[in-house]
Amino acid sequence: MGERRLSDLGLTPQTGRDLLITDLALDSRKVMPGTLFAALPGTRVHGGEFIQYALRMGAAAVLTDRKGAEIAAEELAESDAALVVVENVAETLARTAALFFGAQPETMVAVTGTNGKTSVASFTRQIWEALGREAVNIGTTGVEGAFAAPNLHTTPEAVTLHHVLAEMAEANVTHAAMEASSHGLDQSRMHGVRLAAAAFTNLTQDHLDYHGTMEAYFAAKLRLFTELLPDDGVAVVNLDDDYGVRVAEICADRGVEVIGVAQYADAALKITGRRIDETGQDVLFRWQGAGHQVRLDLIGAFQAMNVLTAAGLVIAAGEDPGRVFEVLPQMRGVRGRMQLAATRNHGAPIYVDYSHTPDSLEVALKALRPHVMGRLIVVFGAGGDRDAGKRPMMGKAAAENADIAIVTDDNPRSEDPATIRLAVMSGCPEATEVGDRAEAILRGVDMLEPGDALLIAGKGHETGQQVGDVVYPFDDVEQASVAVAALEGAI
């Protein structure tokens, strides 16, 4: 990593000289002599307010926009630091970080969409591992595979991301699958990542508290395919989704190769049949017209789409299709994604799933239904400080697709939990309301009779529950096991 001149990083100082940079920082408290400090516009305060502190810490150069330069004009005028003024600081910083840290895993792919990102990224990594590659996936569940980075989640800011990618390459990681969140794409965190392929799963209502409209949400997702995926890259797209069709058309107009994945539409990777049982599914599919059959020990029809999307990414990144299909039976479920958490003594299973949007809750319940002979029970809630419009829609999804619904708290954050539950209950007035999540899970487990199944939805892999500014330890998987042990007399 070492040192780089500003000119080597594609940066031209407006004032000051072309000097050597020894590090990059977004936080003025982490600045040391020789550091390039990036001052980005923020939602509450402009990073330009912190330029004065970065200069006191010995920043060699400052990267910002016109407003940032204006905010710190006096301090900059009195400093020897180089000043680089650009229009889009976030995008420039990401590309600068890519050049500064240099190396990345040789084969990089990314997946975006409302649902399925974590599963697709994990299955992609699992396929590569089965083929003998040193691989990782990066996303909501952290970094999994051939490299450890315990504090890295979702789409990290650009300096951290490119630093870690360089460390992965140095550790001989050759393949990496990333989740591309709408926030990360909107904030240009992934620019400079050299992608071989990118996938689109679907788009349903979520994050409107940030994006405002579905079109703005879609526009953020689309940047993966219009700005980050190169012309010689490959797009792997769910053609059963209306937004996916738009993605495919836009990619085709660019001349980018598209591999379609579908259950209903015509596609290169198309599911043609499925037989479901208590432990998984046998799936028939076609690849470019030729038939294949695979056993997946995964619960939920949607998981077949996730696996085939991952297969499409691996094929797009250069692997032999035949070898890819041979290893698909080795796929294992992702933590917190339709995860079997516990089983009652009479055989009734309890699943934990991250489904926290109306569509993902509906999909999860519909996916479980064919595996369940008796009643389908769901425990769920909605998070605070997030898109409030989806709350009654989640209630409606539960009312229409479960036999019994229990509405409880998710992560209320700064909002009143009772107010959130009331909004959810408006979509499922016949549901039972139990504010305490542990009690709600216990009640759901207690209701189970032979042939029934329980879905605990919303938090998935999370190990904490945020109430106000405090995150209390809480793990749905662990709580399900505790509830079963208590009811079966094991504790």
Side-chain angles (χ1 to χ4, degrees):
M1 300 173 193
E3 301 177 333
R4 301 284 192 278
R5 287 198 171 276
L6 288 173
S7 56
D8 294 333
L9 300 174
L11 302 176
T12 303
Q14 180 173 306
T15 61
R17 58 192 176 84
D18 182 22
L19 39 70
L20 284 172
I21 297 299
T22 58
D23 201 1
L24 308 177
L26 276 167
D27 186 337
S28 60
R29 295 167 297 184
K30 297 180 179 179
V31 170
M32 298 178 66
T35 300
L36 168 67
F37 174 66
L40 281 67
T43 54
R44 297 180 180 177
V45 63
H46 195 290
E49 300 286 352
F50 300 95
I51 291 175
Q52 57 180 315
Y53 306 115
L55 293 174
R56 291 175 195 169
M57 298 290 285
V62 172
L63 172 66
T64 191
D65 56 15
R66 288 189 182 89
K67 184 175 181 181
E70 290 171 0
I71 291 171
E74 186 176 338
E75 291 85 358
L76 286 164
E78 297 174 355
S79 170
D80 293 331
L83 172 63
V84 180
V85 179
V86 296
E87 186 172 335
N88 189 325
V89 190
E91 183 176 327
T92 302
L93 175 63
R95 296 189 187 282
T96 299
L99 290 170
F100 183 81
F101 294 111
Q104 298 178 18
E106 296 169 15
T107 302
M108 296 280 302
V109 301
V111 53
T112 197
T114 304
N115 306 317
K117 296 187 295 298
T118 301
S119 293
V120 170
S122 176
F123 291 143
T124 301
R125 185 256 307 164
Q126 291 183 49
I127 294 170
W128 277 329
E129 286 180 337
L131 295 176
R133 314 303 183 202
E134 291 293 312
V136 299
N137 62 277
I138 307 167
T140 309
T141 53
V143 177
E144 298 177 310
F147 186 86
N151 296 319
L152 200 70
H153 295 281
T154 316
T155 311
E157 50 84 8
V159 175
T160 299
L161 172 62
H162 284 288
H163 191 180
V164 171
L165 290 179
E167 289 181 334
M168 288 178 177
E170 188 175 347
N172 297 316
V173 173
T174 58
H175 292 66
M178 289 187 62
E179 295 178 44
S181 69
S182 59
H183 293 68
L185 290 167
D186 187 62
Q187 296 166 16
S188 303
R189 299 180 205 161
M190 285 184 60
H191 280 75
V193 175
R194 297 186 286 273
L195 296 175
F200 181 87
T201 58
N202 69 344
L203 198 78
T204 61
Q205 184 170 331
D206 199 13
H207 303 305
L208 296 193
D209 54 297
Y210 176 88
H211 296 287
T213 66
M214 286 296 293
E215 279 303 308
Y217 182 31
F218 177 60
K221 296 288 191 185
L222 194 58
R223 293 183 69 181
L224 178 61
F225 302 92
T226 57
E227 298 180 24
L228 301 182
L229 186 65
D231 291 342
D232 61 352
V234 181
V236 181
V237 182
N238 173 11
L239 297 182
D240 288 334
D241 184 86
D242 290 342
Y243 287 100
V245 172
R246 291 172 61 182
V247 170
E249 291 172 348
I250 290 166
C251 288
D253 288 343
R254 276 190 61 201
V256 170
E257 180 184 351
V258 176
I259 294 177
V261 185
Q263 297 183 71
Y264 309 108
D266 290 332
L269 267 171
K270 180 178 173 61
I271 295 173
T272 57
R274 182 186 287 105
R275 183 174 61 223
I276 290 174
D277 56 44
E278 291 183 356
T279 60
Q281 54 196 300
D282 295 293
V283 180
L284 290 174
F285 67 94
R286 303 188 77 80
W287 163 246
Q288 296 182 337
H292 299 268
Q293 180 174 343
V294 63
R295 170 67 187 182
L296 300 176
D297 291 325
L298 300 167
I299 297 295
F302 66 92
Q303 289 286 39
M305 279 290 287
N306 288 336
V307 168
L308 288 188
T309 300
L313 276 174
V314 174
I315 292 167
E319 300 291 351
D320 176 71
R323 293 191 65 211
V324 171
F325 300 147
E326 285 176 4
V327 303
L328 294 187
Q330 299 178 35
M331 299 301 99
R332 294 296 173 259
V334 180
R335 181 163 52 94
R337 270 64 177 175
M338 205 58 80
Q339 178 180 353
L340 179 61
T343 305
R344 292 293 305 265
N345 283 350
H346 52 53
I350 300 143
Y351 295 95
V352 167
D353 191 74
Y354 191 53
S355 46
H356 60 281
T357 68
D359 178 74
S360 62
L361 183 60
E362 178 182 349
V363 168
L365 289 168
K366 284 184 174 178
L368 265 180
R369 178 66 72 180
H371 300 271
V372 181
M373 290 189 294
R375 301 170 304 167
L376 182 52
I377 304 168
V378 63
V379 172
F380 75 109
D385 300 336
R386 299 293 185 268
D387 179 11
K390 70 181 184 182
R391 293 169 187 172
M393 297 167 64
M394 291 189 69
K396 183 181 179 185
E400 292 180 349
N401 296 284
D403 298 299
I404 299 173
I406 300 174
V407 176
T408 189
D409 293 341
D410 193 315
N411 292 309
R413 301 184 177 89
S414 71
E415 289 193 65
D416 174 38
T419 301
I420 299 172
R421 295 196 303 272
L422 183 64
V424 175
M425 291 286 293
S426 69
C428 53
E430 301 300 316
T432 300
E433 181 181 359
V434 182
D436 182 89
R437 193 171 181 91
E439 181 185 346
I441 291 171
L442 180 64
R443 287 205 198 182
V445 173
D446 191 35
M447 289 179 181
L448 289 170
E449 298 177 356
D452 294 345
L454 170 64
L455 175 67
I456 305 170
K459 290 172 58 58
H461 64 283
E462 295 177 358
T463 56
Q465 182 177 31
Q466 185 175 349
V467 182
D469 294 328
V470 181
V471 178
Y472 296 95
F474 197 98
D475 185 323
D476 281 354
V477 174
E478 180 181 280
Q479 201 62 47
S481 297
V482 168
V484 169
L487 291 167
E488 307 289 2
I491 59 175

